[in-house]
């Protein structure tokens, strides 16, 4: 949508300053500062995409143990992300971003002491999950607060670039550092990104939604049980299952096939997703969130299902296809979920959406690990592809899968 069609609107400040005017430009100084801080956090977060390789090659973990470790992380995220969303809506954003970054730094550094698949490993992943919940809830709410209303999908997509760009850089860096030095050095390096985020976060103006009467502020349960959001959470949870199958289990499957270098998958995935969200980020807002979402879900089905026939040399192609689907799909679906939501409910909705994604991504991983040990890895990707197909059918048959204005007033309020 042309920038000339975007209006300006005042927003409140939590520190007593005069209301700031939100301008048409998406990349304002405040939004840019947020992106840099989140990219630093994303380096620490994305470094642990190679954790399945570490526990498989260094600690002798099998598919079920990898799934259990992922499930523990996901369970903590699922519990804490919605809670943090409610807290940042009530108490402001910046302090949660700082605290989450510091917690991530501490937990990442402590991985240098991990020597087996014992309690320390699981405890540290749990701490990292809490850290992610804090940083994500605060950062996502800030991104939406700072975005012009008509560019919401683009803002969510650009915010996601801070993580997506690191999806390539961090795993590639960790893989090289682990080869040239060792894994403890790689983990210590990842912690520096979180420290940098904590420092940079203090330069971001805080944001706290204006409070109205208590009767107008919906609690977390009320927001989570709205039919419209329930449908969108179910859809993104199914997408998370497809992504979890692709992201987690291509690593041990590749090792089984004798493929040692995995960075080409992450680089191709991130490069395509970054291009989509950077150069084509406004497309969904222009042509319709429903059209882009349905197309992206169809691509998830094709790519994840095709990974059941993984062969040496094909990792970059699968990564690129997944980057194309996720680059368009996640921000468009997220924008549908948050469309029409009050300012003092944004943190809750963004966090519930992310929690639902983790239900699929990590929560189902334990069952997929069990399936891999019993039947091999190809069925894991078939289940992932089928999950994306269910998401496509659910969206296409729901009011959210139709153009704006095509649903009845009753559907629009649900």
């Amino acid at each position: 949508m042309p920038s000339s069609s975007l209006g300006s609107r005042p927003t409140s400040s939590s520190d007593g300053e005069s209301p700031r005017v939100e301008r048409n430009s998406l990349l304002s100084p405040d939004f840019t500062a947020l992106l840099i801080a989140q990219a630093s956090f994303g380096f620490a977060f994305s470094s642990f995409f190679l954790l399945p390789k570490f526990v498989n090659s260094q600690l002798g973990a099998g598919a079920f143990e990898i799934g259990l470790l992922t499930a523990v992380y996901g369970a903590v995220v699922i519990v804490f992300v919605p809670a943090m969303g409610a807290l940042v809506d009530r108490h402001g954003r910046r302090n949660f971003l700082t605290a989450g970054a510091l917690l991530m730094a501490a937990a990442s550094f402590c991985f240098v002491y991990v020597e087996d698949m014992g309690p320390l490993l699981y405890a540290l992943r749990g701490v990292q999950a809490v850290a992610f919940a804090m940083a994500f809830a605060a950062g996502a709410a800030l991104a939406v607060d700072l975005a012009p209303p008509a560019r919401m999908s683009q803002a969510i997509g650009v915010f996601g670039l801070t993580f997506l760009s690191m999806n390539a850089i961090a795993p590639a860096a960790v893989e090289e550092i682990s080869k040239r030095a060792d894994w403890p050095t790689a983990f210590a390096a990842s912690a520096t990104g979180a420290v940098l985020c904590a420092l940079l976060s203090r330069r971001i103006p805080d944001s706290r939604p204006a409070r109205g009467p208590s009767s107008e502020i919906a609690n977390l349960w009320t927001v989570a049980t709205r039919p419209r959001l329930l449908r969108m959470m179910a859809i993104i949870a199914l997408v998370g299952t497809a992504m979890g199958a692709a992201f987690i289990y291509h690593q041990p499957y590749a090792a089984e096939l004798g493929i040692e270098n995995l960075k080409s998958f992450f680089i191709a995935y991130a490069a395509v997703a970054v291009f989509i969200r950077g150069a084509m980020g406004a497309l969904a807002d222009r042509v319709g969130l429903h059209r882009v979402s349905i197309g992206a879900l169809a691509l998830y089905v094709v790519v994840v299902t095709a990974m059941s026939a993984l062969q040496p040399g094909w990792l970059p192609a699968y990564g690129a296809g997944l980057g194309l689907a996720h680059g368009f799909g996640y921000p468009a679906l997220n924008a549908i979920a948050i469309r029409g939501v009050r300012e003092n409910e944004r943190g809750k909705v963004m966090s519930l959406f992310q929690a639902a994604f983790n239900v699929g991504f990590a929560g189902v991983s334990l069952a997929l690990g069990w399936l891999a040990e019993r039947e091999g890895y190809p069925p894991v990707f078939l289940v992932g592809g089928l999950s994306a197909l269910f998401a496509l059918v659910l969206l296409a048959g729901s009011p959210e899968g139709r153009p704006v204005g095509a649903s009845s007033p009753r559907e629009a309020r649900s």
Side-chain angles (χ1 to χ4, degrees):
M1 184 175 293
S3 60
S4 59
S5 66
L6 305 178
S8 300
R9 63 189 177 100
T11 56
S12 63
S13 172
S14 63
D15 54 8
E17 295 178 0
S18 60
R20 71 176 184 273
V21 175
E22 185 176 60
R23 302 189 183 279
N24 296 334
S25 174
L26 179 61
L27 294 178
S28 65
D30 291 349
F31 193 86
T32 301
L34 172 66
L35 295 182
I36 296 171
Q38 285 288 348
S40 301
F41 184 89
F43 180 86
F45 170 81
S46 298
S47 295
F48 288 86
F49 279 169
L50 278 183
L51 194 60
K53 179 177 182 178
F54 167 72
V55 298
N56 178 249
S57 64
Q58 302 298 308
L59 307 182
F64 182 80
E65 290 175 301
I66 292 172
L68 178 60
L69 181 62
T70 306
V72 168
Y73 175 87
V76 178
V77 169
I78 291 163
V79 170
F80 276 89
V81 162
M84 293 302 168
L87 289 173
V88 301
D89 275 345
R90 182 171 295 274
H91 300 293
R93 327 296 202 191
R94 185 176 61 188
N95 288 341
F96 284 90
L97 177 57
T98 304
L102 291 174
L103 200 58
M104 177 64 80
S108 299
F109 179 78
C110 285
F111 263 85
V112 304
Y113 301 108
V114 172
E115 296 178 348
D116 54 41
M117 293 292 295
L120 178 61
L121 175 64
Y122 291 94
L124 290 177
R125 282 304 275 165
V127 172
Q128 286 184 320
V130 175
F132 170 78
M134 297 175 74
F136 175 84
L142 279 167
V144 174
D145 289 346
L146 295 170
R151 302 180 73 172
M152 198 69 69
S153 175
Q154 185 181 11
I156 294 170
V158 172
F159 173 76
L161 285 177
T162 60
F163 285 94
L164 280 173
S165 59
M166 292 302 139
N167 288 175
I169 296 171
V174 165
E175 193 168 50
E176 286 301 313
I177 294 171
S178 67
K179 289 178 180 178
R180 296 175 183 272
D182 51 28
W183 281 97
T185 303
F187 292 137
S190 71
T192 61
V195 172
L196 183 58
C197 175
L199 296 174
L200 292 172
S201 68
R202 307 317 297 171
R203 301 180 64 87
I204 302 170
D206 200 4
S207 174
R208 184 180 304 172
R211 296 193 183 188
S214 59
S215 61
E216 295 181 3
I217 303 176
N219 60 37
L220 185 62
W221 177 255
T222 300
V223 174
T225 54
R226 289 171 182 164
R228 184 169 181 269
L229 185 56
L230 283 173
R231 288 190 293 267
M232 294 308 301
M233 288 195 296
I235 290 166
I236 201 61
L238 290 166
V239 171
T241 298
M243 287 289 290
F247 254 75
I248 297 167
Y249 290 102
H250 84 273
Q251 299 184 42
Y253 189 24
E256 186 178 272
L257 297 173
I259 305 171
E260 295 184 359
N261 293 320
L262 306 180
K263 60 186 177 183
S264 61
F265 174 89
F266 294 103
I267 291 173
Y269 164 80
V272 173
V274 166
F275 173 77
I276 293 301
R277 295 193 186 181
M280 306 178 70
L283 182 65
D285 290 317
R286 290 173 177 168
V287 306
L289 297 174
H290 65 290
R291 294 189 182 95
V292 170
S293 297
I294 289 174
L297 288 173
L299 189 55
Y300 279 119
V301 175
V302 173
V303 174
V304 178
T305 301
M307 291 182 72
S308 62
L310 180 66
Q311 295 292 329
W314 279 87
L315 277 178
Y318 295 132
L322 201 63
L324 184 62
H326 203 62
F328 277 124
Y330 188 92
L333 290 168
N334 202 342
I336 291 174
I338 204 169
R339 188 166 51 194
V341 170
R342 292 176 177 175
E343 188 177 356
N344 58 19
E345 296 175 1
R346 289 171 176 172
K348 299 181 189 72
V349 172
M350 295 286 284
S351 297
L352 286 165
F353 191 80
Q354 177 64 25
F357 178 79
N358 275 278
V359 168
F361 187 92
V364 183
S365 62
L366 186 59
L368 293 179
W370 174 84
L371 178 63
E373 291 200 342
R374 284 181 59 89
E375 306 294 338
Y377 289 103
V380 169
F381 300 103
L382 295 178
V383 170
L386 189 61
S387 297
L389 179 60
F390 285 156
L392 173 59
V393 172
L394 181 56
L395 180 65
S398 71
E400 291 71 43
R402 304 170 196 164
V404 174
S407 58
S408 68
R410 176 176 294 181
E411 288 175 333
R413 290 194 299 269
S414 65

